[in-house]
Amino acid sequence: MVTKRLLVKTWGCQMNVYDSERMAEVLAPLGFSSTTTPEDADMVILNTCHIREKAAEKLFSELGRLRVVKQARADRGLPMVLAVAGCVAQAEGAEIAARAPYVDIVLGPQTIHRLPEMVARAGRAGGLVLDTEFPAESKFDLLPGARSPQGVAAFLTVQEGCDKFCAFCVVPYTRGAEASRPAAAVLAEARGMVAQGTREITLLGQNVNAYHGEGAGSLAVLLRQLAEIPGLARLRYSTSHPRDMADDLIAAHGDLASLMPMLHLPVQSGSDRVLAAMNRGHTADDYRRLVDRLRAARPDLGLSSDFIVGHPGETDADHAATLSLVREIGFAGAYSFKYSPRAGTPAARAPFQVDESVGDARLRELQALLLDRQLAFNAAHVGSVFEVLVTGAGRHPGQVAGRSPWLQAVHAEAPDSDPADLAGRVIRMRAIGASANSLSCVIEDLAHQPREKHAA
Ligand code: 5AD
Ligand code: SF4
């Protein structure tokens, strides 16, 4: 088969990273292997994200650059299929067709399994192939069962879409209604990943704890089923909504050893007025109580969150309420954003938009506090011993890299060991230093570490 080169550029969340990998996998049988150089690419896919500000402008400037490369290739008699995927494609397909007529394919997140057919159609007919439907069939049923090796720590999408309609958010419009994959399909994919060396799986979904797939019915049951897979040492899930933190899921944090003690649970704001305007469906106290229950189940649980400052109507007092919630909960880390309007969402039409400069100042203040909390969380681990999943070689010779149960990046000296031998092993280490972004560790007597059995 003639080898063709594929370049996939990904923006946004881990679900997009997952989709990008799957797109590369469905195109592999057509002879595509990957490249990072646009000039060499027979096909380029831009997998876009709509959640961040100026997403469309960023896309159009990237497309402008690729247009030149595409033309230069055409001058040499070489084609380049240009595809735009992801949430910007879903939301702005018509705009892309009008402003960038040299784009060959526009596809939404739900139609990635149809990509080979789209490539064939683009080759035959020329002109734009646009497929941003929410098809009746699930992409997951039609994507290949076997995946390429994913590495020691990998993602697995189990749920997509969202029915929460937070006032600021485009996701319910671009990713569609909440939908869950059947447990059997998730388990088969997970077993395949473990057979190829994956030891830690993070279950992904826009609203992953709303999971209700056939054969499990809840995320807690799915986690319990996954925990039975031999060789799968660690489980995580992301991203969760406070309203869907069911009792059985909280209980799972207490009694499932492989479920790691770190939970991403966005709160967005600490003010009840703003939470109501955001249509979050919970108060700050609801969140506090939930955290208390989670910590009762799993005392060493670390929490991370997302925050938006400057949501329409947010006052100084509301912002102060967010800062005090952060101080109380002591987040291990967080993403924080300045509100920016998204066309079509209720918040974009709300009166009392907050001044840009006020939003900037609030963001700086919040981020300084969050960084301080993150450093304190990491520093609190210095001196303690915990298990680290080794992911590979560290940045310096003789070092290994890995991740702690709390998702902290870890590096440790292992001068007499080949990092390739240690990758995939869960090794006890002691933290001897901390920064805001990582822990420096020493290995606790490697000779006496159990070598866990890998699945065949
Ligand atoms: N403006 C700013 N931040 C936003 N997010 C989602 N929509 C917006 C918006 N319009 C943030 C939320 C969400 C995270 C993924 O992105 O905090 O949890
Ligand atoms: Fe967006 Fe809210 Fe759904 Fe999260 S829960 S994806 S913020 S609508």
Side-chain angles (χ1 to χ4, degrees), residues 327-342:
R327 285 192 198 96
E328 270 172 63
I329 305 278
F331 290 99
Y335 299 100
S336 50
F337 311 98
K338 185 174 74 165
Y339 169 76
S340 74
R342 293 288 170 281

Side-chain angles (χ1 to χ4, degrees), residues 162 164-166 168-169 171-172 206-207 241 268 280:
C162 181
K164 294 288 187 292
F165 290 94
C166 296
F168 51 81
C169 183
V171 165
Q206 258 97 28
N207 200 172
H241 193 292
Q268 312 293 358
R280 289 286 294 174

Side-chain angles (χ1 to χ4, degrees), residues 33-105:
S33 61
S34 74
T35 180
T36 49
T37 333
E39 288 74 14
D40 295 341
D42 300 280
M43 176 159 184
V44 175
I45 304 175
L46 303 179
N47 194 8
T48 60
C49 168
H50 208 270
I51 236 166
R52 295 279 79 81
E53 210 175 354
K54 300 199 177 76
E57 282 95 302
K58 280 184 207 141
L59 169 65
F60 284 113
S61 63
E62 184 76 29
L63 283 174
R65 284 192 288 277
L66 285 170
R67 176 191 201 167
V68 178
V69 180
K70 182 171 172 155
Q71 185 57 52
R73 279 181 61 93
D75 293 345
R76 289 189 286 144
L78 299 169
M80 177 198 268
V81 179
L82 191 50
V84 182
C87 292
V88 180
Q90 185 68 44
E92 313 209 20
E95 170 97 1
I96 295 167
R99 279 180 61 185
Y102 47 92
V103 167
D104 303 288
I105 296 173

Side-chain angles (χ1 to χ4, degrees), residues 12 51 66 68 75 83 87 134 150 161 196 227 239 266 282 399 414:
I51 236 166
L66 285 170
V68 178
D75 293 345
C87 292
F134 287 107
Q150 296 299 303
Q196 300 201 75
T239 289
H282 62 82
Q399 259 188 4

